[in-house]
Amino acid sequence: MQGGAGVPVITLENIRKQYGTFVAVDGANLSIGQGEFFAMLGPSGCGKTTTLKMIAGFEQPTEGRILLEGVDVSTVPPYKRNVNTVFQQYALFPHMTVFDNVAFGPRSKKLDSSTIKSRVMEMLEVVRLADFAQRRPAQLSGGQQQRVALARALVNYPSALLLDEPLAALDLKLREAMQLELKRIQREVGITFVFVTHDQGEALTMSDRIAVMNEGHIEMVGTPEEIYDRPSSVFVASFIGSANLLPGVVESVSGASVTVRLSCGAVVDSSGTDFAAGESVTVMIRPERITPGGESIAGRSISGEVTDLVFQGPSVRLIARLADGTEVGAVVGSHTNLTIPRPGDSVSMSWDAKGSYVLKGHPEMAGSTTSNLDHVEANL
Amino acid sequence: MNLVVDRRTRLAKFFDRADIVGLGTMLLLALGIVAVGAGWVDGDAARVVIIALVVVLVGIIAMAVMGNGEVRRKLAPYGLLKPGILWLALFFLAPVWSLFVMSLSAKESRFDFWPDFSWHWDNYRTALTEFRPQFVRSFSYAGIATLLTLIIGFPLAYVIAFRGGRYKTILLGLVVVPFFTSYLIRTLAWQNLLADSGPIVSIIDDLRLTGLFESLNIMDNGKLMNTPAAVIGGLTYNFLPFMVLPIYVSMEKIDVRLLDAAHDLYSTGRRAFRKVVLPLTFPGIFAGTLLTFIPAAGDFINAALLGSPNTTMIGNSIQDQFIRQNNWPVAGAMSLVLMAIITVAVMIYTKFLGTEDLV
């Protein structure tokens, strides 16, 4: 999914950023292609914003190089870099009209005023704010301010647009609308977007590729499907969406098929690469892949006792406890034809052939996955 | 029976109009106080007015106590305004009125003790002609001092606001600390600092800079005391915090991410300062210059303690006319002229540099 041929727009080579003894980013390698919508995703303090600031030029890497369209810009100040940022709280100039805000960059570059005027109006057209050109930022709603910030950055036709949690300040409904709007604008202008977020839903919805970061490391880079279905680590699996992570030991391996004895006693067939018999692993099963209450299928079923049923509108969430005490969640459409078991019933849960995936290490390695807390925070 | 009902409805109507009653009593009280304070009524008449005012005040309080929530809600704004209005009526409106009357009064003969009101506009001619140099001096000294406080205060506020870090509070405290000492004491201390045998003059002498300073009109005959420079210096020193604090406040409010944004949008540090920091600091500069210029123009302490008869400002002349010459009419005319000039100057300043949509 590396977009466009030729030189990548942004390349990070072994980037390391240290504040005193605290290592914010450690050995980050990335390359982002032309026209890509790229997300950097991770919990607070994972180093994603620091990485973005280094690309923008507000921070200098302690080690490593940053290349912008093939040119080393590691020590070039922000005002000489052809990237623009959309700041978290937009940082619009309160004393200027929308027009003057958007014209700020072109005026810094000393373009002639007729070019500035047509460019600015064209960009305000793109973000659908042409009628608001003479307003002050304070007279606009949050979503409109967001679009002014976007226009102010895009009007400079940067090589890449950096967005620092651009939707965090908006309420849920507006955020969902803006996700699609951002996507539309990106398609329209064709500029590379690098987008920092802690909201996995946002990243999955919008991005062509995602880099998942944790504690200063890049854990995985891949398309949303790769990251969701075939995560590289227990952390990625637990951070993206919700996942049932069942500990076990590899019994046998044949090609891409791995047979695992789970600690609840069940033996399941799953897929994964590069495992050896006797290795401690985690089997990941997404809740929506599980069908509860059906016939048990050899190698693709576990059984437990239903402890809770939660009605969530379009779906019902079922929680069952396995023999070893592990809780497993399953999500079923609330208008399914299946008879959904009641709490206290014992239930057999099975999944389709591609419904599970084997990961290295034990579920505890997920560490403190703040995904739920962050989700709550993001919804506030 | 009928009468009782009638009275009740009349009272109810009165209570319904609580907002008008509140406004009316407020204006009545202000007028009464000005009348007594400015001497429109005196003797027994004044006593009657005062008693009437107290009765009105008690009445309105009773109305608030007896009335329901609606009545109290209508009375509340006027109740809250009343202390301020009454204070201003007694200590501003009444004195200004008296001053105005006095400025048009004259003594019929030299031996009269009390000047009589006689539309004596000549007082204003005297104020504007005889004291013209003092007016000009006051406004130029105040102007130069304001400019100097701006030149000194702006970078100071900038450093505290943007580079102060955790020392912000301490640095701000240091700006204000001299104000724990009285204005007079501080100015007297300057007398010692600037004295002919004081530390500053001797350092200038040691460095052989006397000639240079004299050619710049800062020193006179090897002295710093009793020069215009000393008076302007005193004004600058004494009013510096009035410039620093408002500028600091408006700088403090600037989101540093705006600077990041400006840099991100291809601005050098200098352009970011000119286009972002400076315009956003304007309300502070505006407030600071007014807070410095207005009191500095009417100041008399600095000229009295650090200046000479050649540096008297209008404040000194007004004080002199009032207290020593006992020429209240001319002193009153001078005061009103000073007020008028400052008001007009501030209005023009606001018109050209007003930042109403930012304040």
Side-chain angles (χ1 to χ4, degrees):
Chain A
M1 272 300 280
Q2 180 89 29
V7 193
V9 174
I10 297 168
T11 313
L12 304 187
E13 287 179 359
N14 293 314
I15 290 297
R16 182 183 165 86
K17 178 68 186 177
Q18 219 170 320
Y19 297 101
T21 57
F22 173 72
V23 181
V25 178
D26 194 6
N29 284 292
L30 261 186
S31 98
I32 302 167
Q34 173 61 43
E36 254 194 304
F37 202 121
F38 190 91
M40 289 200 276
L41 174 66
S44 333
C46 71
K48 56 191 191 299
T49 300
T50 310
T51 308
L52 196 78
K53 281 183 174 167
M54 287 191 283
I55 300 173
F58 299 125
E59 302 278 358
Q60 249 94 55
T62 318
E63 278 169 37
R65 296 201 307 160
I66 296 170
L67 307 182
L68 203 59
E69 294 180 317
V71 182
D72 186 354
V73 294
S74 309
T75 55
V76 173
Y79 65 89
K80 289 184 181 163
R81 288 190 196 195
N82 196 24
V83 290
N84 289 111
T85 308
V86 173
F87 292 85
Q88 193 167 5
Q89 304 294 333
Y90 321 138
L92 298 177
F93 303 120
H95 57 298
M96 296 181 193
T97 61
V98 167
F99 184 94
D100 291 335
N101 263 282
V102 178
F104 194 91
R107 281 177 182 156
S108 298
K109 284 179 164 175
K110 302 207 163 58
L111 302 181
D112 69 276
S113 63
S114 63
T115 316
I116 292 176
K117 188 161 195 275
S118 65
R119 265 221 222 175
V120 169
M121 289 318 290
E122 185 193 337
M123 201 45 76
L124 284 176
E125 214 67 70
V126 170
V127 298
R128 301 177 186 171
L129 280 175
D131 296 341
F132 295 83
Q134 294 312 316
R135 299 256 188 115
R136 290 282 169 92
Q139 297 168 300
L140 302 180
S141 70
Q144 290 168 337
Q145 292 184 16
Q146 161 79 76
R147 283 181 283 156
V148 175
L150 210 57
R152 187 177 69 172
L154 286 173
V155 76
N156 305 296
Y157 302 130
S159 322
L161 181 74
L162 312 176
L163 303 103
D164 184 9
E165 304 261 3
L167 306 179
L170 303 177
D171 61 54
L172 186 61
K173 269 261 178 330
L174 198 53
R175 193 158 59 221
E176 284 170 355
M178 271 311 290
Q179 287 175 0
L180 301 176
E181 185 74 1
L182 269 179
K183 206 65 197 144
R184 175 188 70 79
I185 292 168
Q186 197 254 346
R187 267 197 308 271
E188 209 161 301
V189 295
I191 290 172
T192 307
F193 276 34
V194 182
F195 169 83
V196 155
T197 181
H198 62 257
D199 183 331
Q200 41 99 11
E202 214 165 87
L204 292 175
T205 310
M206 301 164 72
S207 330
D208 298 325
R209 285 198 305 152
I210 301 173
V212 183
M213 293 187 71
N214 186 32
E215 292 175 347
H217 296 275
I218 296 178
E219 293 262 337
M220 182 179 186
V221 181
T223 64
E225 293 82 2
E226 283 165 359
I227 282 180
Y228 190 77
D229 292 333
R230 296 186 296 285
S232 66
S233 66
V234 173
F235 172 81
V236 176
S238 61
F239 190 72
I240 308 290
S242 54
N244 295 304
L245 299 171
L246 307 173
V249 176
V250 176
E251 288 226 311
S252 64
V253 183
S254 90
S257 165
V258 186
T259 305
V260 179
R261 177 175 292 277
L262 299 178
S263 52
C264 65
V267 177
V268 297
D269 296 326
S270 186
S271 58
T273 45
D274 203 17
F275 291 100
E279 197 176 340
S280 286
V281 293
T282 300
V283 175
M284 176 197 84
I285 311 161
R286 296 287 181 192
E288 70 277 7
R289 303 301 276 268
I290 296 179
T291 314
E295 288 288 304
S296 109
I297 307 166
R300 283 193 269 128
S301 286
I302 45 178
S303 57
E305 185 191 323
V306 178
T307 56
D308 213 349
L309 273 177
V310 184
F311 178 72
Q312 293 175 320
S315 59
V316 174
R317 186 174 195 88
L318 176 146
I319 296 163
R321 183 176 290 125
L322 305 183
D324 64 336
T326 317
E327 287 200 330
V328 171
V331 173
V332 198
S334 52
H335 298 289
T336 172
N337 293 325
L338 289 168
T339 45
I340 298 174
R342 313 306 308 167
D345 293 354
S346 82
V347 65
S348 158
M349 293 171 285
S350 50
W351 53 89
D352 57 297
K354 286 184 174 172
S356 68
Y357 193 68
V358 186
L359 304 166
K360 298 220 180 255
H362 266 293
E364 294 78 50
M365 286 176 67
S368 57
T369 55
T370 49
S371 76
N372 283 331
L373 251 180
D374 271 345
H375 207 77
V376 171
E377 195 181 47
N379 282 327
L380 285 177
Chain B
M1 189 66 183
N2 229 343
L3 191 77
V4 174
V5 171
D6 193 37
R7 194 185 288 164
R8 227 179 240 164
T9 51
R10 212 183 291 163
L11 198 65
K13 267 185 194 159
F14 188 68
F15 271 81
D16 278 348
R17 294 285 176 81
D19 45 350
I20 293 170
V21 175
L23 177 65
T25 50
M26 190 178 76
L27 295 177
L28 197 69
L29 284 166
L31 195 69
I33 286 183
V34 173
V36 175
W40 298 346
V41 289
D42 48 12
D44 285 341
R47 256 166 243 137
V48 171
V49 170
I50 289 171
I51 291 167
L53 293 182
V54 172
V55 169
V56 169
L57 204 57
V58 170
I60 199 82
I61 292 170
M63 185 173 173
V65 171
M66 282 160 61
N68 54 18
E70 181 69 8
V71 170
R72 274 197 282 272
R73 199 183 57 75
K74 282 179 178 168
L75 285 177
Y78 304 104
L80 294 172
L81 274 174
K82 232 162 251 166
I85 292 277
L86 299 188
W87 183 271
L88 279 178
L90 187 57
F91 294 111
F92 179 70
L93 292 179
V96 166
W97 180 262
S98 305
L99 205 61
F100 180 66
V101 171
M102 181 58 72
S103 73
L104 291 174
S105 304
K107 288 181 183 173
E108 295 285 304
S109 89
R110 293 184 50 130
F111 305 105
D112 280 353
F113 179 72
W114 199 259
D116 284 317
F117 180 74
S118 53
W119 293 107
H120 196 80
W121 289 101
D122 206 42
N123 293 330
Y124 284 87
R125 196 188 52 78
T126 316
L128 283 168
T129 52
E130 265 182 52
F131 295 97
R132 196 192 157 118
Q134 281 83 352
F135 272 115
V136 171
R137 209 176 281 141
S138 287
F139 288 114
S140 34
Y141 285 7
I144 297 170
T146 306
L147 203 65
L148 288 174
T149 52
L150 183 62
I151 292 169
I152 300 169
F154 189 93
L156 185 58
Y158 185 89
V159 168
I160 298 175
F162 289 111
R163 302 273 187 270
R166 60 201 168 104
Y167 300 110
K168 256 184 203 177
T169 328
I170 296 174
L171 291 171
L172 216 54
L174 289 176
V175 171
V176 183
V177 146
F179 278 63
F180 294 169
T181 319
S182 98
Y183 188 17
L184 217 55
I185 304 274
R186 273 179 286 134
T187 315
L188 283 168
W190 270 77
Q191 259 186 1
N192 288 313
L193 289 173
L194 300 180
D196 301 347
S197 53
I200 295 175
V201 171
S202 51
I203 289 171
I204 293 172
D205 279 345
D206 289 347
L207 295 172
R208 303 286 183 272
L209 286 172
T210 318
L212 176 69
F213 276 63
E214 277 184 13
S215 66
L216 291 171
N217 276 329
I218 290 172
M219 287 178 101
D220 186 28
N221 267 331
K223 294 174 186 202
L224 268 177
M225 268 304 286
N226 305 332
T227 60
V231 179
I232 294 170
L235 288 170
T236 306
Y237 164 74
N238 277 311
F239 289 103
L240 187 60
F242 293 105
M243 185 65 86
V244 174
L245 294 178
I247 295 182
Y248 169 81
V249 168
S250 55
M251 281 181 175
E252 167 82 317
K253 279 194 291 191
I254 298 176
D255 184 349
V256 287
R257 275 171 305 188
L258 294 181
L259 295 178
D260 277 350
H263 292 311
D264 188 61
L265 296 163
Y266 315 105
S267 277
T268 54
R270 186 182 297 192
R271 188 179 139 90
F273 174 81
R274 204 158 42 85
K275 294 287 178 186
V276 179
V277 177
L278 201 58
L280 288 174
T281 314
F282 238 86
I285 296 174
F286 183 72
T289 45
L290 290 185
L291 284 177
T292 306
F293 182 78
I294 296 172
D299 186 80
F300 62 94
I301 302 264
N302 288 282
L305 297 183
L306 304 173
S308 69
N310 292 327
T311 65
T312 45
M313 294 171 69
I314 195 67
N316 306 82
S317 303
I318 293 174
Q319 190 207 23
D320 187 58
Q321 290 298 316
F322 258 122
I323 291 168
R324 253 175 265 155
Q325 314 294 331
N326 249 337
N327 193 352
W328 294 9
V330 167
M334 287 158 75
S335 304
L336 288 172
V337 168
L338 180 65
M339 262 174 69
I341 295 177
I342 290 178
T343 308
V344 170
V346 168
M347 279 164 67
I348 293 172
Y349 186 62
T350 314
K351 178 91 181 150
F352 285 103
L353 292 166
T355 47
E356 66 245 52
D357 51 5
L358 279 177
V359 180

